[in-house]
Amino acid sequence: EAGVAQSPRYKIIEKRQSVAFWCNPISGHATLYWYQQILGQGPKLLIQFQNNGVVDDSQLPKDRFSAERLKGVDSTLKIQPAKLEDSAVYLCASSYSGGGNTGELFFGEGSRLTVL
Amino acid sequence: GDSVTQMEGPVTLSEEAFLTINCTYTATGYPSLFWYVQYPGEGLQLLLKATKADDKGSNKGFEATYRKETTSFHLEKGSVQVSDSAVYFCALKARSTGNQFYFGTGTSLTVIP
């Protein structure tokens, strides 16, 4: 079974530039999450999708971050314009929505962003 | 709100030493509890989980028991190896908030030969 795919693995940009990250979840996983992981911290949820609908985006900085999952499969997270404090690893995860609340998250390898 | 508090690191142990990483949680209702591990340069991987009180999760020699009375899910291993060096995250999945996951800050473990 293929895992969660993310690209690019690494990105270096200047502040005020834009960047986009892509994620393809495990086939059949209806729920998709984007997390931000700053060095030395735990993952922080940015947005959660159920199919192509947003379940929670309360911690997404909407003035600069946007995310979409138009066909309920793959997803794109965009940052425009980037700030220095956006330097982090952006993790995509997916989970199977059946089985109540016991299903675990499956993570991609992450996209490491450095903003100079 | 729901949250996880995890023992701060870093932790350095000699090979074959006993490991405990403490984790306590605050949650409304009955969450599922997880330990994830992150090896250098990799994404998070599920290490073990427990879905109800008194359940014990185990994998690769690691164990953790879901203790509702103490709201804890401490990670233990009897004899660590160099290959266990990684960052360990405690997490809960909350039924009360749309199955959101809440992660601890992570505990870095280094095992020296």
Side-chain angles (χ1 to χ4, degrees):
Chain A
E1 171 181 87
V4 176
Q6 287 189 248
S7 67
R9 287 293 311 277
Y10 305 94
K11 190 73 177 179
I12 300 173
I13 61 173
E14 301 277 338
K15 61 183 179 184
R16 291 187 289 275
Q17 287 186 324
S18 64
V19 62
F21 302 112
W22 173 83
C23 171
N24 194 31
I26 292 172
S27 177
H29 282 193
T31 310
L32 184 148
Y33 308 75
W34 283 102
Y35 286 88
Q36 180 191 59
Q37 187 180 19
I38 292 173
L39 187 65
Q41 299 181 18
K44 170 192 158 187
L45 179 68
L46 292 175
I47 189 166
Q48 177 184 347
F49 291 96
Q50 178 77 13
N51 296 308
N52 60 351
V54 175
V55 174
D56 183 357
D57 64 356
S58 58
Q59 298 191 79
L60 188 74
K62 298 181 186 63
D63 57 332
R64 298 183 300 104
F65 286 65
S66 64
E68 59 183 16
R69 193 184 185 199
L70 294 175
K71 297 181 180 178
V73 182
D74 59 343
S75 175
T76 302
L77 175 71
K78 295 180 181 177
I79 307 174
Q80 182 179 20
K83 292 186 175 181
L84 296 177
E85 60 260 36
D86 299 331
S87 294
V89 177
Y90 291 86
L91 296 167
C92 180
S94 69
S95 70
Y96 174 61
S97 296
N101 73 339
T102 62
E104 66 261 35
L105 287 179
F106 294 82
F107 283 87
E109 292 184 310
S111 295
R112 181 178 298 276
L113 173 66
T114 302
V115 183
L116 302 176
Chain B
D2 296 351
S3 66
V4 172
T5 302
Q6 190 175 338
M7 169 179 150
E8 290 194 14
V11 175
T12 302
L13 294 174
S14 297
E15 206 164 23
E16 299 183 2
F18 184 84
L19 169 71
T20 300
I21 301 178
N22 290 338
C23 172
T24 58
Y25 68 90
T26 302
T28 304
Y30 304 97
S32 292
L33 301 173
F34 303 83
W35 277 100
Y36 280 83
V37 58
Q38 188 173 33
Y39 298 103
E42 299 184 13
L44 278 74
Q45 305 173 23
L46 178 68
L47 180 59
L48 53 84
K49 70 178 182 181
T51 59
K52 61 182 187 296
D54 300 325
D55 266 4
K56 178 186 282 188
S58 61
N59 186 25
K60 299 181 180 179
F62 291 88
E63 292 183 338
T65 300
Y66 189 146
R67 302 281 188 204
K68 189 167 181 290
E69 63 276 14
T70 55
T71 61
S72 65
F73 193 54
H74 304 321
L75 182 68
E76 296 182 336
K77 186 174 186 182
S79 176
V80 293
Q81 305 300 312
V82 172
S83 56
D84 294 327
S85 297
V87 181
Y88 293 82
F89 293 93
C90 186
L92 72 81
K93 184 175 183 181
R95 191 196 302 267
S96 62
T97 53
N99 290 330
Q100 277 193 31
F101 279 77
Y102 297 88
F103 286 85
T105 53
T107 301
S108 174
L109 170 66
T110 301
V111 180
I112 55 178

